[in-house]
Amino acid sequence: MDTIDGAKSSAIIYSITETAKANNLNPYRYLEYLLEVLKDKQDQKDRLFLDKLLPWSDELPAICLNKTAKAKP
């Protein structure tokens, strides 16, 4: 975080982490999943797949779920 770009990157990761927690996800597993999927789709022009990656998506794998959180009603 010694540079403006570093601070921006940290803010993005922090925002993703806090949003994951707010949606009862395991932040580490969620970030790991995002990076894996995005790595494989970086050249894809159609960005509709991004909706499936949002922290409130029902299509996230079970590994991303926080096991101690209560289920959504």
Side-chain angles (χ1 to χ4, degrees), residues 2-39:
D2 293 342
T3 65
I4 291 174
D5 287 339
K8 286 179 183 179
S9 296
S10 293
I12 291 168
I13 296 298
Y14 184 75
S15 294
I16 292 170
T17 299
E18 290 302 311
T19 305
K21 286 189 219 176
N23 284 277
N24 298 321
L25 299 177
N26 177 314
Y28 177 82
R29 297 285 184 212
Y30 179 60
L31 279 170
E32 185 177 55
Y33 174 70
L34 286 180
L35 293 172
E36 186 65 33
V37 170
L38 292 173
K39 170 186 64 92

Side-chain angles (χ1 to χ4, degrees), residues 25-54:
L25 299 177
N26 177 314
Y28 177 82
R29 297 285 184 212
Y30 179 60
L31 279 170
E32 185 177 55
Y33 174 70
L34 286 180
L35 293 172
E36 186 65 33
V37 170
L38 292 173
K39 170 186 64 92
D40 294 337
K41 295 188 181 232
Q42 63 185 345
D43 294 329
Q44 194 169 346
K45 291 184 189 302
D46 180 11
R47 302 291 183 189
L48 293 175
F49 72 92
L50 292 172
D51 288 340
K52 296 176 183 177
L53 300 178
L54 295 172

